[in-house]
Amino acid sequence: MEKKKIYLCLAHMTEAGLEGKYIQEAFDTNWVVPLGPNVDAFEKDLEAFVNKSLLDKRVVALSSGTAAVHLALLASGVEAGDEVLVQSFTFCATSNPVAYLGAKPVFIDSESDSWNMDPALLEEAIRDRIAKTGRKPKAIVPVTLYGMPYDVDRIMAIAEHYDIPVIEDTAEAFGSCWKGRALGTFGRFGVLSFNGNKMITTSGGGALICKDDSERQHILWLATQARESYPYYQHDAIGYNYRLSNICAGIGRGQMTVVNDHIAHHKHVYETYREGLKGLDGIEVHGNPDKRYDSNFWLNTITLDPNVHVKGQEEAYKTQPARSDCEPNDNVEALRTWLDARGIEARPLWKPMHKQPIHKDALAYLNGVSQSLFQVGLCLPSGPCVSDEDLNFIIQTIIEAIG
Ligand SMILES: *Cc1c(COP(=O)(O)O)cnc(C)c1O
């Protein structure tokens, strides 16, 4: 029998098929539009989830996490020509919306324990930009890479000191906490994503956590073509068509009934990798730096010391010569192809934005951390479809590769 491929993180529907039930309800009541009962109920579920520590944040469901970043920047007053301080070590959806607005991303490197925005570099960048341009950057966008919190206390203290709004890109961190409180509830806005590979899915979708109802109303207005309440169509501002479909929200309602199971599973996968790989010199599973951090372990990641020998590493880039000036090390590429040949998907870490050709002219405040991590890191299968049997197989396959 052919073995099934083990993917990083595939969508996983409820056993009871609740997603289908909510979608059917939408059809039966003819709410086949980007608003309706599923959207309202999904937003209530999301609010209950992020407000567990007695907060009163409001949530707007949107068509994607990228749309959420875009609207958060817009509502923070980012305009063409403005500078926005963005974590460099991330997926392009964090910084692309800065470009949509004609603004300029200024990239900030990471610290080595959380892998997220380095507070010292952030402060240096703020001071330097004010000194050189006479203007403050318009927003700060830290990211919670692979679900790991950034140092919320230090980043928020700096943001408050300079009075610059924070947009938390917590697209990967649904269910992660900082000192017991949900990520995405600390900044002016928090971004969520429900793409097919995230902690829960709506097939495609996202949301913005807002600090209060008036902020929520403003985002809602922007997301629905900035329509004024007239009997006819009257527009005083440019809007967007970014609301979540009532069909997709039905999937989200079903998924919210198993979100805690998903999070528990991702954490179990982390524990299993940590146990299984702990005897191996030079291989490290990325974990919470200390007790304040509570990652959802959306994707589990390992780093490989350059001294670890992986079978076939001499051939790693022979068939496919270097495609850019910054690639994972030979042993990392060899481990990736070794796993791939055995039906296991593994992927390099996000390539830092300051190393991307599209951003070659962007300003960046660097310490080398994100580039070094990119060269030594790999993401391993972590999603709800990955069984204990799969995990044992993955761990054994890694051990064979370096044996
Ligand atoms: C997935 C992701 C997004 C965007 O979400 P979409 O819903 O795919 O648009 C934004 N930022 C990060 C870091 C992500 O991983």
Side-chain angles (χ1 to χ4, degrees), residues 9 100 273 381:
C9 191
Y100 302 166
Y273 281 132

Side-chain angles (χ1 to χ4, degrees), residues 137-398:
K138 277 290 180 66
I140 300 168
V141 191
V143 183
T144 48
L145 221 58
Y146 306 116
M148 182 60 69
Y150 61 96
D151 187 333
V152 174
D153 289 353
R154 289 186 67 197
I155 298 285
M156 290 307 299
I158 294 164
E160 271 159 35
H161 179 78
Y162 292 94
D163 194 21
I164 302 174
V166 172
I167 298 165
E168 301 178 76
D169 184 347
T170 49
E172 301 174 2
F174 193 51
S176 299
C177 292
W178 172 262
K179 299 203 286 200
R181 173 168 156 186
L183 265 295
T185 64
F186 294 93
R188 177 162 172 188
F189 294 107
V191 171
L192 298 175
S193 167
F194 310 115
N195 205 334
N197 61 350
K198 295 288 160 72
M199 184 55 79
I200 59 161
T201 188
T202 56
S203 70
L208 202 54
I209 304 171
C210 304
K211 69 174 180 344
D212 57 33
D213 192 59
S214 83
E215 198 103 89
R216 179 181 185 278
Q217 291 304 329
H218 182 61
I219 295 294
L220 191 58
W221 175 74
L222 286 171
T224 49
Q225 304 289 28
R227 279 163 64 172
E228 306 298 338
S229 49
Y230 286 59
Y232 46 89
Y233 288 90
Q234 169 92 4
H235 299 284
D236 298 335
I238 297 290
Y240 298 83
N241 180 10
Y242 277 172
R243 196 76 166 119
L244 184 68
S245 147
N246 194 53
I247 303 291
C248 297
I251 305 175
R253 285 181 77 185
Q255 292 271 290
M256 282 304 284
T257 65
V258 287
V259 61
N260 290 322
D261 302 338
H262 282 205
I263 295 163
H265 177 82
H266 284 252
K267 290 182 176 180
H268 164 73
V269 172
Y270 163 71
E271 293 297 341
T272 310
Y273 281 132
R274 211 187 49 159
E275 263 313 292
L277 299 172
K278 78 174 173 202
L280 301 178
D281 271 351
I283 296 193
E284 232 177 286
V285 183
H286 184 40
N288 289 316
D290 62 52
K291 285 208 152 43
R292 297 170 302 169
Y293 296 76
D294 179 9
S295 175
N296 64 5
F297 293 105
W298 168 62
L299 287 188
N300 283 282
T301 54
I302 54 170
T303 50
L304 223 60
D305 193 278
N307 298 323
V308 173
H309 184 269
V310 175
K311 287 174 186 157
Q313 73 179 59
E314 295 74 17
E315 310 295 319
Y317 286 106
K318 282 268 165 65
T319 49
Q320 185 63 264
R323 280 159 286 197
S324 76
D325 68 346
C326 173
E327 301 203 306
N329 291 337
D330 291 354
N331 61 351
V332 173
E333 175 60 7
L335 183 57
R336 187 190 69 76
T337 52
W338 176 275
L339 293 168
D340 185 61
R342 285 152 187 82
I344 301 163
E345 183 187 27
R347 212 181 281 174
L349 305 184
W350 300 124
K351 183 167 182 172
M353 286 303 129
H354 72 271
K355 297 300 292 178
Q356 301 286 357
I358 40 165
H359 295 303
K360 63 181 188 321
D361 300 324
L363 286 167
Y365 290 80
L366 304 174
N367 55 18
V369 169
S370 63
Q371 176 169 348
S372 326
L373 285 168
F374 171 68
Q375 285 164 324
V376 299
L378 265 188
C379 302
L380 297 177
S382 304
C385 302
V386 180
S387 67
D388 281 352
E389 194 189 331
D390 293 337
L391 289 171
N392 282 332
F393 176 63
I394 296 165
I395 290 164
Q396 287 316 312
T397 308
I398 293 173

Side-chain angles (χ1 to χ4, degrees), residues 14-71:
T14 55
E15 303 287 334
L18 285 175
E19 293 85 352
K21 174 181 152 296
Y22 290 122
I23 291 175
Q24 191 60 46
E25 263 177 36
F27 287 137
D28 293 345
T29 53
N30 207 21
W31 279 101
V32 188
V33 274
L35 79 167
N38 281 338
V39 176
D40 297 342
F42 183 45
E43 285 176 340
K44 287 284 158 269
D45 289 347
L46 292 170
E47 284 175 356
F49 187 87
V50 300
N51 287 332
K52 263 184 295 221
S53 37
L54 302 178
L55 303 168
D56 52 4
K57 303 283 167 179
R58 302 299 317 274
V59 171
V60 189
L62 299 168
S63 54
S64 71
T66 311
V69 177
H70 191 179
L71 295 187

